[in-house]
Amino acid sequence: SFCIDAKSCEIDGKILWTSPGFTFASGDKILIKGKNGSGKTTFLKYVKKSIPCSLQVAYFEQNNFDIFKEEKTLLFEFVKESTTLDDIELRNILALLNFRGDDIDKKISVLSKGEKVKLYFVSLLFRKTDVLLLDEITNFLDVVAIEAVEKILKKYPGILIMVSHDMEFIDNVATKVINITNKEVLKFE
């Protein structure tokens, strides 16, 4: 577990949000919600900076496709580099996310944004982590992929902190909600 201190966040001299301190514990599945522009991603980045170095963190940053530096790399090779799962387990996980048969031999350069999001997610999820931070993971996913991600996240044993606008996804995964409203950060159990 870890704590964050109370903080106010200002951008260009205007208060974006004011937050009390929070404690996060293993098994927490916390959603950060609020209107567009309310500072959800900024708050998630504040949480990330507050996590002690002793904890292993994986961070899914929305619209960050820079992780795919080598677009010629094959899908399976990319994921294999970031996980300790054996090939059969990894193929089963990829199949859950609709990468089946010859799909795993596709080059990253030919993947859609939705497929890249799924690949990015898998590459983070199966690292040895204590904290998983997800910023708008559902943006480019279809319904089947979202349902698969929900199943996987429900079993995640560490601390999960996510930003999402997808209410059904939120209801199916989150156990606690942090709501940013009227420039205040409020926690609901």
Side-chain angles (χ1 to χ4, degrees), residues 16 25-26 39 57 113 134 136 140-141 151-152 160-161 187:
L16 188 58
S26 281
V57 179
K113 280 189 176 177
L134 305 175
E136 300 285 5
F140 297 102
L141 300 180
K151 285 179 189 171
I152 293 167
L160 170 64
I161 305 171
K187 186 174 181 184

Side-chain angles (χ1 to χ4, degrees), residues 70-162:
E70 186 55 57
E71 291 275 320
K72 294 175 185 166
T73 304
L74 299 180
L75 180 156
F76 190 78
E77 289 172 6
F78 175 82
V79 179
K80 186 70 179 159
E81 287 174 10
S82 60
T83 180
T84 56
L85 296 175
D86 67 40
D87 285 5
I88 293 171
E89 287 176 306
L90 186 52
R91 285 175 189 269
N92 287 337
I93 296 296
L94 289 169
L96 255 181
L97 294 169
N98 213 21
F99 292 116
R100 295 185 172 93
D102 294 340
D103 288 344
I104 65 168
D105 295 323
K106 284 182 178 178
K107 289 184 180 172
I108 290 173
S109 59
V110 302
L111 299 178
S112 69
K113 280 189 176 177
E115 289 172 322
K116 286 182 179 179
V117 166
K118 292 187 284 189
L119 192 58
Y120 183 9
F121 171 66
V122 171
S123 74
L124 294 177
L125 187 65
F126 295 102
R127 293 178 187 171
K128 195 158 183 68
T129 62
D130 303 300
V131 183
L132 182 59
L133 305 173
L134 305 175
D135 193 359
E136 300 285 5
I137 192 167
T138 60
N139 278 3
F140 297 102
L141 300 180
D142 60 28
V143 174
V144 173
I146 291 171
E147 289 172 356
V149 167
E150 286 173 2
K151 285 179 189 171
I152 293 167
L153 291 178
K154 284 179 184 177
K155 294 178 183 174
Y156 180 70
I159 300 167
L160 170 64
I161 305 171
M162 57 194 161

Side-chain angles (χ1 to χ4, degrees), residues 5-33:
D5 295 326
K7 180 177 173 70
S8 284
C9 176
E10 287 186 28
I11 295 183
D12 298 328
K14 294 181 181 174
I15 292 179
L16 188 58
W17 46 255
T18 301
S19 172
F22 289 114
T23 299
F24 301 96
S26 281
D28 281 351
K29 293 179 179 29
I30 299 168
L31 167 80
I32 300 167
K33 74 176 194 173

